[in-house]
Amino acid sequence: MRMLLIHSDYLEYEVKGKALKKPEEIKEDQKIGKLDEVLAVFMSVEKVDEQNPDEVVDKAIKEIEDVASQVKTKNIFVYPFAHLSSELGSPEVALKILKKIEEKLKEKDYNVKRAPFGYYKAFKLSCKGHPLAELSRTIVPGEAKKEEEVPEALKKEEELVSYWYILTPEGELIEVDKFDFSGHENLRKFANYEISKSRVVTEEPPHVKIMLEQELVDYEEGSDPGNLRYYPKGRLIKSLLENYVTEKVIEYGAMEVETPIMYDFEHPALEKYLNRFPARQYVVKSGDKKFFLRFAACFGQFLIKKDATISYRHLPLKMYELTRYSFRREKRGELSGLRRLRAFTMPDMHTVARDLQQAMEEFKKQYKLSMEVLKGVGLAPEDYEVAIRFTEDFWNENREFIVELAKIIGKPVLIEMWKQRFFYFILKFEFNFVDNLDKAAALSTVQIDVENAQRFGISYYNEDGQEEYPLLLHCSPSGAIERVMYAILEKQAKLMKQGKKPMYPLWLSPIQVRVIPISDKYLDYALYVAGKLEGAKIRVDVDDRNERLNKKIREAEKEWIPYIIVVGENEKRMGIITVRKRKDNKQYEMHIEDLIKEIRQKTEGFPYKPRPLPLLVSMRPKFRG
């Protein structure tokens, strides 16, 4: 069980709708509730709790009583909150445990209120703000306790002392607490998030609701948490993004390869690298041997480079793989929709550079490449924040280079500086998206690696025929594909808050055009229009259902379809189409060829895939609910 305990002036809730098919039955007066001067206890019941529910109840009550006595309150609000965990127990067991906790606390003379289970609820609270006001607890049944293997790099990362600054495009380095964030609110949120180092998610981010409602992506109970299922529309978007990034990287000059997803723990170079990389591994056994699932394409590409004969003439040498999948055993409380996963698709390029000068030249090129890639998916520099991380020595020796990076992006950036190097890299940047919950997630990144060439035995022959160790650059110009999807959806959620219509980039829209006949009489013309568009490689469908016209248009709007064509007598007789454009919500009479030309102009240079669903809307299954 996961618990978040917040001492509050008040907590109030209001039921908004069902979150489960069969939620707890409640009366009308249970749809709203409030308690003042209260210890709010947000709770997630987990699968592991099913092993011994009674023990979990007793331990939870002990923790609640302990905190309640410290904050001196007898008012307890038991609040079901699934977002504290990604390994939830069954609804039946969860409700029994919550009810039991409520009953036992009442028996101990606490004034207890419990929010209904299985519903979406809006809530407000006012945290007291003292040192004991916000506490978290994890409860595990005794027999389920097991120590997790944690890489040495993760342990060291927690001990590392960072010095935080803001660097302006003018070259001024300012301590974070002395920087005026006026006009840079998103940067302030990002800096706070990074410095706090707290990655726990206590609330569902808006993109989760969108990905479920749009039938893009869903959780998969039959797998490990953080491994998702993709419905046809979601798979199309993901596939187009994979193709787009791959095309950009190959256009940049990288050679595409493919490498295994599992590696031997006892391989000497890999074993040392594992202790230098801050990630938790999935471990699998084959016979007596222990393997780990890759968390990046580094290992496979490094082993290829080790066996290759490389000349200085080949440098910089760029190698690329789209890793479907990479695996990281992220903490359960950090998993959140598409933002942070345990299985993800990472475009991963590694560059061999002869020396620091060449490495820095490539670093800058890949920085610009990353900006270009994000622009193509609809993310401009104002949509993300930049973090640049390095040692103090690197700053002193290469200050002008770092300032140039801030100038290129054209706004202040967050700097993390270390007195000494612990990681394998001396320089790293990330483009970070700050979402609607003020959580940040890294997208594009490049690192200059000064260790692994020697560790893996990667060398090149210089002009004199002598072997030398090169430097290596790690680059993902987009970050994980799933995280790009997260950023796109979170950006649209922000626009929705501002009263604007959400839209996918046109080339990513699962259905680019929907044709709606006003009656069955005009279905033949609707199919003719759709055939012309499909022949021009435009994803189009036809809503042939026996529904009212207004309902069909509303449903097309809910799917964010960019162009809605309505055809009737006038359109059929004149051989034209009436098009409603989502971008400006206006209607236009057009010839089919003009619409084809407009869509082609807007999608030129981007990959194409056919429609992911049947042509006729009536022939589609419903994947959720």
Side-chain angles (χ1 to χ4, degrees), residues 431-476:
F431 294 156
N432 295 267
F433 185 85
V434 180
D435 64 22
N436 291 272
L437 302 182
D438 297 343
K439 300 286 185 182
L443 299 171
S444 316
T445 184
V446 180
Q447 308 162 7
I448 296 180
D449 178 346
V450 296
E451 286 187 6
N452 283 302
Q454 187 166 354
R455 178 175 291 123
F456 282 82
I458 300 167
S459 63
Y460 73 95
Y461 288 95
N462 64 22
E463 293 90 335
D464 299 323
Q466 302 298 313
E467 280 191 271
E468 291 188 27
Y469 291 119
L471 298 182
L472 302 170
L473 280 80
H474 304 239
C475 170
S476 182

Side-chain angles (χ1 to χ4, degrees), residues 40 149 199 214 307 433 445:
E149 286 187 35
R199 304 296 182 253
Q214 296 265 329
D307 293 335
F433 185 85
T445 184

Side-chain angles (χ1 to χ4, degrees), residues 32 69 106 156 183 261 313 406 484 496 541 543:
I32 58 172
S69 67
K106 284 181 176 177
K156 292 290 185 184
I261 67 166
R313 295 186 184 90
V484 174
M496 290 164 73
D541 63 13
D543 193 340

